[in-house]
Amino acid sequence: PALLGSESAPEHYTVIVRGVKFELSYAQITYDSPNHFTTAFLEHDFAEAQSRTLFLDRNPQLFALIVEHLSGYTILPLAQNALPTTMSYEIAYRNLYTDAEYFGLEYLLQLLSAP
């Protein structure tokens, strides 16, 4: 995974996913970059770069797994208790792949595509 700039930057960014608030550090948003978060927060043309807040209509339980990935943690194989209650393992895996595509997380896509 590529890292942009210094990991010691104190910036924090807020991502609100269907009302659930996640606080991400600079190191987290740049972990699997470039991605949706680096575009939204680090390119000054976007309102999110000023407010440091991003609102998303995605599944917050799947997003929690993405935050773990952005923290450098191993998330595969998916733990049954980490899955959204409305999804089977297979559906959650496919939806996580869809979210990885949506957020432009190439490293996570590689992990999810591995046999």
Side-chain angles (χ1 to χ4, degrees), residues 2 10 16-17 25 27 29 38 66 71-73 85 87 93 106 109 113:
I16 299 174
V17 185
S25 68
I29 69 167
T38 56
I66 289 171
S71 300
Y73 291 121
T85 55
M87 296 179 199
Y93 199 93
E106 291 299 323
L109 285 170
S113 298

Side-chain angles (χ1 to χ4, degrees), residues 19-39:
V20 180
K21 184 177 177 180
F22 295 87
E23 294 287 333
L24 279 72
S25 68
Y26 179 85
Q28 286 171 306
I29 69 167
T30 58
Y31 175 74
D32 190 348
S33 63
N35 59 50
H36 185 78
F37 308 108
T38 56
T39 299

Side-chain angles (χ1 to χ4, degrees), residues 2-22:
L3 290 174
L4 301 175
S6 168
E7 279 192 286
S8 63
E11 290 92 358
H12 280 83
Y13 304 89
T14 302
V15 180
I16 299 174
V17 185
R18 292 185 186 163
V20 180
K21 184 177 177 180
F22 295 87

Side-chain angles (χ1 to χ4, degrees), residues 67-105:
V67 171
E68 293 300 301
H69 165 73
L70 295 175
S71 300
Y73 291 121
T74 301
I75 62 169
L76 299 173
L78 297 175
Q80 193 65 40
N81 62 352
L83 304 180
T85 55
T86 58
M87 296 179 199
S88 68
Y89 182 91
E90 293 76 19
I91 291 172
Y93 199 93
R94 278 200 312 262
N95 288 339
L96 184 60
Y97 187 93
T98 298
D99 277 358
E101 284 182 316
Y102 178 84
F103 295 122
L105 301 170

Side-chain angles (χ1 to χ4, degrees), residues 49-70:
Q50 302 304 314
S51 69
R52 294 187 184 194
T53 302
L54 181 62
F55 292 88
L56 299 170
D57 187 19
R58 309 303 289 182
N59 183 289
Q61 290 171 287
L62 290 178
F63 191 74
L65 291 167
I66 289 171
V67 171
E68 293 300 301
H69 165 73
L70 295 175

